[in-house]
Structure formats: C-alpha cells, structure tokens
Amino acid sequence: MIRAPLGDKAYWNERVANRWNSITMAEEQLKTPAVWKQYEAEYLWGYTQDHPRQTLTQYSRGDPIAQLYNPFPKVLDAWEQSNREAEHIEREYKPEHVRAWEFRLDYLEHYNWCFWLVGLALVFNIPNDQWDRLVALIGGEGEDQLLDRVIATRQKERPIGGKLLHKKPYARLLKAVESAPDQQAPLLRDFVDHWYAELKRPYNKTIWWYDYGDPEVNPLEKGSYFGRWCVEAVAAVKAFGLDDSLCLGHEHYPGDLLRPQGPSTHQRASSGLGWLKSLFRKGPAS
C-alpha cells in the first residue's frame, strides 16, 4: 500500500527507478577525473543527498520496511569524500563558496538533514563504526539540546547543549521528550501536527524539499516529491521510547519504520479517517 498521501503507483515506481538511475549515473561519473575540479565537492554533496532520499521514496511507495534501501555507508563515504574535496578546492582554487550548503547546525536545512540521518541510523541500527563516522560528520557537540540528547542515547559521552537552535518546530518535540510518560503521546502528536507548517521559512531560507508536491510551486508532475516525513519524531521515539500511538496514520509520521513486521499504520487520504484515527486520535485539538 502506498504510504504517501500524494502520487499513484506509477508515479512512485517511476520515482524509485529514476532515483536509482541518478545514483548509478553519479557513480559512473565519479569514476572519471572531473573536468571542473572546483565543482567536485558540490557534485559529491548532491550525490550524498540521493541516498536517504531514495530510502524515503521507497517508504512512500509502500515497500516492506525490511526491503528499504539502507543509505549507510554510501552516504558516509560520499559526505567524507565531499569534505576532502572541499578542503582541496579551498587550498588550490580558493573560491568564495565551495558548496552552496551551509554545514552548520544553526542553519535549519543542515539541522533537519542531520536529524534525519540520525533517525535513519537509529532505525537501521547501523554498526558502531558507521555511527562514529556519522557523528563526526555532524559535529556540533554541545550546540543543540535536542539533537545532542538524541545522539547521546547511543553516544553517552556526547556533551548536551544548553539551548535549542530552532525553536520552531522543535520546541514542541523537546517538550514531549521532557514530559511525564502520560503526557508524551499528545505532546508528540502536537509536534507532528505542527512540524511541516513550522518548518516554513522565507523563500530563500526554506528547506530544499519543503515545496515538493505543492501544486502551485513544485507540482507532482515535476517528480521532485518524495513524501514529507517527520523522521525527527521517529528518531525521538526510537531514542527515548516515547508513546507514538496518537501519531499513527498521520500524513507526516513514518510510523512503519518502527514496525517492520507490520501491518502498515498508514491509510491513503482518500479512504477517510480509517480505523487507526478512530482508535488513536484522542489527543487535544491542535
């Protein structure tokens, strides 16, 4: 069953196939020396993003959880190689911008990216050597209270930051993490309910995937949409054992990642509220 609220089977089959083609073509390109060496780091970074995007595309299509593409360690190899190329380019060419991406956690786009990777890493239970590489790439120890706490559930020595870098929407998730067990379910639902809307920023600071699937900005026929999944909520549930029962069936909550044996927690938007919403949707109005 398709998990994403948008797109039919043909759309998702094409998206998965095209993403594999993109990955394969990039790998072939990387086997030959770059003509424009000063753009190598940026090209590698784009290739890095292809891997978790494919995982979420397969999730949207409805693939069994056990058969989802594990983006590790390829995403780690590509990110590390991109960093090495960036250092080389800075030494040799000294361009003003080696990569367009801002590699700082106080930039929402990078924070969201790192949180997604941490969530997927916890779901896939990646080996310790891969986890250590991921945490080293993320860096930012002691900068953000929430992300630090999630990482610290597997890396006990990680320093915990004293502030939250992005209060919208993440203050709601931190509140759920810090709440009493009997309050966690409605507070987590509150975070998921507001997550997408509160990620909105001015046009030049909006997260790269935010408008994918928007009929007025980036309609479905463009093929960019791969779902809008709140992997951050899954990361917190996996890390802290939060009660996610009120989130099951939510259009943004990828709850099947935590239930690999099924059945699916999702219902298509056209099928009405469904049994999951009638059973679990008892939280306070948002």
Side-chain angles (χ1 to χ4, degrees), residues 219-277:
L220 201 62
E221 53 265 28
K222 285 192 174 182
S224 301
Y225 174 73
F226 59 95
R228 298 168 183 162
W229 299 116
C230 185
V231 181
E232 304 96 300
V234 164
V237 171
K238 182 72 173 180
F240 303 110
L242 304 183
D243 178 1
D244 68 347
S245 60
L246 297 183
C247 297
L248 302 183
H250 195 289
E251 64 175 319
H252 297 313
Y253 185 67
D256 288 5
L257 289 174
L258 301 173
R259 294 161 177 83
Q261 304 306 317
S264 178
T265 64
H266 294 281
Q267 295 238 340
R268 293 286 280 178
S270 61
S271 63
L273 290 178
W275 69 272
L276 276 168
K277 289 188 177 181

Side-chain angles (χ1 to χ4, degrees), residues 29-41 43-44 85 89 93:
Q29 289 288 333
L30 290 168
K31 291 178 182 178
T32 60
V35 176
W36 302 101
K37 190 67 176 177
Q38 59 267 44
Y39 300 113
E40 184 81 348
Y43 183 80
L44 277 161
E85 291 296 334
I89 292 166
Y93 301 97

Side-chain angles (χ1 to χ4, degrees), residues 63-285:
D63 291 15
I65 300 304
Q67 296 177 22
L68 292 182
Y69 171 54
N70 184 338
F72 308 97
K74 281 196 172 183
V75 67
L76 301 175
D77 290 342
W79 191 350
E80 289 168 344
Q81 188 177 352
S82 180
N83 284 355
R84 289 192 295 269
E85 291 296 334
E87 293 174 0
H88 171 75
I89 292 166
E90 287 174 344
R91 290 195 304 269
E92 297 296 322
Y93 301 97
K94 296 181 173 56
E96 184 178 355
H97 297 290
V98 175
R99 291 172 291 191
W101 193 272
E102 293 283 356
F103 289 79
R104 292 165 42 185
L105 291 179
D106 58 344
Y107 281 79
L108 178 63
E109 192 164 54
H110 189 59
Y111 182 87
N112 172 256
W113 161 260
C114 292
F115 220 141
W116 276 16
L117 287 183
V118 168
L120 291 174
L122 292 173
V123 166
F124 281 105
N125 193 28
I126 63 174
N128 288 337
D129 62 323
Q130 292 180 16
W131 175 263
D132 291 343
R133 291 166 64 194
L134 174 62
V135 171
L137 286 164
I138 292 171
E141 297 89 343
E143 291 186 13
D144 180 76
Q145 185 179 7
L146 179 59
L147 185 57
D148 283 335
R149 288 180 65 172
V150 173
I151 293 174
T153 61
R154 183 162 173 177
Q155 186 193 41
K156 304 300 182 184
E157 69 276 11
R158 186 176 180 89
I160 306 300
K163 63 180 180 180
L164 189 62
L165 292 175
H166 305 282
K167 292 184 178 180
K168 283 190 174 183
Y170 296 103
R172 297 178 189 273
L173 182 55
L174 182 60
K175 185 176 180 180
V177 168
E178 294 179 332
S179 66
D182 63 342
Q183 291 298 311
Q184 289 175 349
L187 289 172
L188 184 66
R189 172 72 191 216
D190 182 65
F191 166 66
V192 176
D193 278 342
H194 291 85
W195 168 78
Y196 181 70
E198 290 189 350
L199 283 175
K200 181 69 175 177
R201 298 294 189 272
Y203 76 95
N204 60 335
K205 295 182 179 180
T206 299
I207 291 177
W208 59 279
W209 54 263
Y210 189 85
D211 293 323
Y212 290 177
D214 186 319
E216 296 182 359
V217 181
N218 198 314
L220 201 62
E221 53 265 28
K222 285 192 174 182
S224 301
Y225 174 73
F226 59 95
R228 298 168 183 162
W229 299 116
C230 185
V231 181
E232 304 96 300
V234 164
V237 171
K238 182 72 173 180
F240 303 110
L242 304 183
D243 178 1
D244 68 347
S245 60
L246 297 183
C247 297
L248 302 183
H250 195 289
E251 64 175 319
H252 297 313
Y253 185 67
D256 288 5
L257 289 174
L258 301 173
R259 294 161 177 83
Q261 304 306 317
S264 178
T265 64
H266 294 281
Q267 295 238 340
R268 293 286 280 178
S270 61
S271 63
L273 290 178
W275 69 272
L276 276 168
K277 289 188 177 181
S278 65
L279 180 61
F280 290 117
R281 186 66 170 102
K282 300 177 182 178

Side-chain angles (χ1 to χ4, degrees), residues 15-30 42-58 69-72 74-76 78-79 101 113 116-117 120 208 212 223-224 226:
R15 299 277 53 80
V16 170
N18 286 354
R19 188 57 47 198
W20 282 133
N21 288 338
S22 177
I23 290 172
T24 300
M25 290 175 59
E27 289 175 346
E28 289 300 314
Q29 289 288 333
L30 290 168
E42 183 71 26
Y43 183 80
L44 277 161
W45 181 247
Y47 168 70
T48 300
Q49 293 177 298
D50 280 342
H51 296 283
R53 183 172 176 179
Q54 177 69 314
T55 304
L56 295 176
T57 302
Q58 289 182 322
Y69 171 54
N70 184 338
F72 308 97
K74 281 196 172 183
V75 67
L76 301 175
W79 191 350
W101 193 272
W113 161 260
W116 276 16
L117 287 183
L120 291 174
W208 59 279
Y212 290 177
S224 301
F226 59 95

